[in-house]
Amino acid sequence: MGGPALPKVLLPNNMTVREDSPGIAKIAYSQVVDYFEHPDGGFPASRFRDGMVVFDAGMNLGLFSLECLRRAKEKGMACTVFGFEPIPATYACAKANLTDNGFIGDGATKQRSVPINAGCGETAGRVTFTHLPGWSM
């Protein structure tokens, strides 16, 4: 990833992740869990299917990808998550989180992630992002 080692944080689901902004992992994790468990929609367990493919557009630290893969693993289901993150430093952090938790590499078989260092959108082109290390989410 280059630069100093990123701090690791233990999340309530017992996964350890790296974060590139102090405190951001727990804030983002609570938002992800709220999405999965929201009573009026979200992504409840009943919508999981064996072999499902998920697109995580704007992967940030990879927490949505991690939660999809963790929940699929709990159910013994195959799942592939394609995660898009255009900011190189944030992409590196997300990729490290997915690797550290066994969803990239030799151990990743039924549940795996394919991180992509690019954005995705309706049209092809280039855009400029403002990234403030230590502050951006």
Side-chain angles (χ1 to χ4, degrees):
M1 279 187 294
L6 296 172
K8 291 187 176 183
V9 176
L10 179 64
L11 297 176
N13 66 1
N14 290 319
M15 286 187 164
T16 300
V17 297
R18 302 167 197 237
E19 61 182 5
D20 57 357
S21 299
I24 207 67
K26 287 190 176 178
I27 294 168
Y29 174 78
S30 71
Q31 293 171 342
V32 166
V33 170
D34 284 350
Y35 177 74
F36 275 91
E37 297 176 358
H38 195 279
D40 294 326
F43 198 29
S46 62
R47 294 179 67 185
F48 274 67
R49 300 288 183 264
D50 192 33
M52 71 181 179
V53 176
V54 176
F55 293 89
D56 186 355
M59 179 169 58
N60 200 292
L61 301 179
L63 302 184
F64 180 82
S65 295
L66 283 169
E67 193 63 14
C68 282
L69 295 162
R70 184 188 72 77
R71 288 173 185 240
K73 186 175 184 176
E74 276 184 356
K75 295 180 167 299
M77 295 180 175
C79 177
T80 301
V81 178
F82 291 89
F84 296 85
E85 178 51 53
I87 298 170
T90 307
Y91 166 80
C93 187
K95 186 175 179 183
N97 288 335
L98 292 159
T99 301
D100 290 351
N101 284 284
F103 296 117
I104 297 176
D106 294 337
T109 54
K110 280 187 79 172
Q111 301 84 27
R112 67 186 190 98
S113 178
V114 181
I116 300 163
N117 188 199
C120 59
E122 188 174 331
T123 59
R126 291 191 157 303
V127 296
T128 301
F129 290 93
T130 300
H131 175 65
L132 306 171
W135 294 94
S136 293
M137 179 170 166

